[in-house]
Amino acid sequence: MKTKEVAQKWVELCREGKNLECINQLYHDDVVSKEMPGMPDEVITGKQNVWNKSKEWLDSVEGFHSSEISDPVVAGNFFSAKMAFDCTFKEHGRQKMEEVCVYEVKDGKIASEQYFYSMD
């Protein structure tokens, strides 16, 4: 798949709440995932580890009140999107979050992901 096709499929799956299926289908085995500096699991590698991180995050959510995923912006072998969530966490209560996500596609698979968000 070309970058635009990967980006469109990523948006489709994420909007449907199929985040773990998205990783299974679209991520490279050696994917690198980066969070903001100083966050737990700041850098992890490997599709299974990224899947585990996502599963852990999803399991920490008690309920989603709303979620929004923008259409992707594609440039070369990169795409980005904005994600916004209003959710209640089991241990931290209700929070609103928004972030910009940047993905790199190589050989038709997501090879890296990086998340940018406010730390306040």
Side-chain angles (χ1 to χ4, degrees), residues 57 63 65-66 85-89 91-98 120:
W57 188 87
H65 308 288
S66 68
F85 300 104
D86 179 1
C87 53
T88 299
F89 290 93
E91 295 186 15
H92 303 291
R94 190 168 179 171
Q95 294 181 7
K96 291 183 180 181
M97 308 160 45
E98 60 180 9
D120 38 86

Side-chain angles (χ1 to χ4, degrees), residues 7 10-11 14 19 27 33-36 53 68-75 78-85 97-104 110 112-117:
W10 177 88
V11 167
C14 289
N19 302 61
Y27 281 47
S33 178
K34 297 178 184 177
E35 294 288 338
M36 293 296 289
K53 178 182 85 165
E68 174 192 335
I69 298 174
S70 72
D71 290 337
V73 175
V74 179
F78 291 89
F79 72 94
S80 65
K82 175 190 170 190
M83 292 196 298
F85 300 104
M97 308 160 45
E98 60 180 9
E99 59 191 343
V100 172
C101 316
V102 179
Y103 299 88
E104 181 180 14
I110 294 173
S112 69
E113 63 179 13
Q114 187 166 3
Y115 300 102
F116 301 91
Y117 45 86

